[in-house]
Amino acid sequence: MSADAEESRAGAKFYRIAWIFYLALAIAGLLWIGTQRGRLGIELFVDPGSWWIDLGAGVAIGAALLALWWALRRFFAAARSLEDELAALLAPLSVAEAVSLALISAVAEELFFRGALQGAIGFLPAAVLFALMHAGPGKGFRIWTLFALAGGLSLGALVSLRGPLGGAIVAHLMVNAVNLVRLARRAPLPPVPPPVPPPASDAGESSPAAHD
């Protein structure tokens, strides 16, 4: 099997596993919220009388988080190295797949962490657990965990102040969609071929000479 075929299969497997995980997380969040509130309605996501406030706040927070990540990868080599690893993982995905993954992950994480967990244990513990979910080995993952903590605090504060999850979902979707699409579209650098040595002269070949 060619390397491209293996890479495509690995990307498809990652996509399926991610969708299954986030779908399960969303269902768990909805069920947990239902037990806390007794019912699920449109007010979970938006206040019809002031939806524009949630939308504007979500866009503003999303833009601020994107600017924060831009600064982190601009000034920290570990953040750039982490992006290289994630780009290799996401490279087989199409733009549509990256966007759909951004959507399901944003909705699922907001339902579970801001909707259910924050309502059960409070704003700060939920933000810390959200950050720990993004932890991993190496300096790059430590930066990503701190970035996730900043996101968890800002999105948690928005939900605490406003109530509905719509604004937090908008912000989360902006961050995920921009970054996932950007990384998925980044083509891996081709391997540098070794230098080709110049053709060796034939030792047994004599120089041309004039004949009478």
Side-chain angles (χ1 to χ4, degrees), residues 111-199:
L111 280 172
F112 187 84
F113 286 98
R114 253 63 67 184
L117 191 62
Q118 182 167 309
I121 65 175
F123 157 61
L124 186 57
V128 171
L129 289 176
F130 176 72
L132 292 177
M133 178 183 167
H134 296 78
K139 293 181 180 179
F141 272 101
R142 286 197 288 272
I143 292 175
W144 197 20
T145 303
L146 291 175
F147 174 75
L149 178 61
L153 291 172
S154 57
L155 298 177
L158 176 59
V159 172
S160 294
L161 291 172
R162 292 291 304 157
L165 298 175
I169 291 175
V170 168
H172 204 146
L173 176 59
M174 281 179 59
V175 174
N176 285 6
V178 170
N179 285 328
L180 287 179
V181 170
R182 180 173 56 83
L183 293 176
R185 295 182 65 182
R186 184 200 290 183
L189 294 176
V192 178
V196 179

